Amino acid sequence: MTYGYARCSTSETRQDINRQVRELKSAGAEEIFLEYEHGDSKIKSQQTAMLNAAQPGDTVITLEVPRLARSTQQLCEIIDVIREKRLRLVIVGSITLDCRTGQTDPMSEAFLQMAGVFSQLELAMIRARVRSGMENARAKGAAIGRPRSTAEDIPAVFLRHYAAYKEGRMNVSELARITQLSRGTVYKYLRLLG
């Protein structure tokens, strides 16, 4: 079996994941696992499901190392699983780590780990640029983050049910459920109405 793994940081960038799916299919992936999670997230449920489903002799395909992991440690853990399960890992057009015989090619493993180091470095550089840009914007007087909510921002559906809450006929959980808002948002609106 040949498994494909596609990942992007959020579900809003589906165009990116669709490109990955097309390329994975053309590279021979029979079943593709889609992940909407940040690269250095410790929990990638679809990646875990794929590695659990893979049997000795199977192949795992992804387009680039940062799709698998943005952390060298996480990449090394994935390599360990690939080796233990006797799988083949293919980074399309780049590196193939074939562990189906129980042995690995040291050079391929080293190149894969080096790619992981560069992936982690790239993420650190992106974060540094973002922090610098935010500090620059703050220095110029720009407001960073979400705009502050005011009582005028409270939706009508919340205001309709607010009286029942004030009279004790409804608790916060019920108010959140009926207005389809998170409990945190309900508490925020309650503070605004004071």
Side-chain angles (χ1 to χ4, degrees):
M1 182 67 151
T2 302
Y3 296 99
Y5 179 72
R7 184 196 60 75
C8 66
S9 295
T10 63
S11 57
E12 287 86 43
T13 56
R14 288 192 186 273
Q15 181 180 5
D16 179 52
I17 205 113
N18 291 335
R19 175 193 63 84
Q20 291 179 57
V21 168
R22 275 193 313 277
E23 291 183 26
L24 288 169
K25 283 180 181 175
S26 72
E30 299 167 82
E31 184 177 343
I32 298 175
F33 286 78
L34 305 178
E35 190 93 65
Y36 297 100
E37 193 60 66
H38 199 274
D40 67 343
S41 173
K42 290 186 184 350
I43 298 170
K44 296 186 187 86
S45 60
Q46 294 303 299
Q47 186 180 88
T48 301
M50 175 189 64
L51 292 173
N52 286 341
Q55 298 299 311
D58 287 347
T59 298
V60 172
I61 299 175
T62 193
L63 297 182
E64 49 199 33
V65 173
R67 297 296 167 208
L68 279 180
R70 284 281 198 172
S71 151
T72 307
Q73 177 185 351
Q74 288 176 12
L75 182 61
C76 288
E77 290 168 1
I78 292 167
I79 291 170
D80 288 343
V81 172
I82 297 290
R83 187 182 304 110
E84 288 166 15
K85 292 194 84 168
R86 293 179 175 237
L87 305 173
R88 183 171 72 129
L89 173 63
V90 177
I91 311 298
V92 176
S94 179
I95 304 166
T96 297
L97 183 64
D98 195 343
C99 301
R100 293 177 294 183
T101 63
Q103 302 294 318
T104 60
D105 171 36
M107 192 65 79
S108 296
E109 188 170 341
F111 277 124
L112 187 57
Q113 289 173 349
M114 285 173 40
V117 168
F118 286 113
S119 177
Q120 185 172 328
L121 172 65
E122 179 185 34
L123 180 62
M125 291 169 62
I126 289 168
R127 287 182 172 162
R129 281 194 303 268
V130 168
R131 277 192 304 273
S132 174
M134 289 172 65
E135 288 170 15
N136 187 40
R138 253 189 228 107
K140 291 179 177 179
I144 303 296
R146 292 184 182 179
R148 293 201 180 269
S149 295
T150 65
E152 291 79 37
D153 298 322
I154 298 174
V157 66
F158 182 88
L159 296 173
R160 264 197 317 272
H161 297 285
Y162 176 67
Y165 167 79
K166 282 297 272 185
E167 293 167 5
R169 293 184 285 137
M170 189 180 296
N171 65 29
V172 170
S173 294
E174 292 166 328
L175 183 57
R177 182 183 49 77
I178 205 160
T179 58
Q180 297 183 343
L181 298 168
S182 70
R183 286 172 52 96
T185 301
V186 168
Y187 280 119
K188 178 174 70 173
Y189 291 161
L190 291 174
R191 279 192 303 274
L192 288 172
L193 293 173

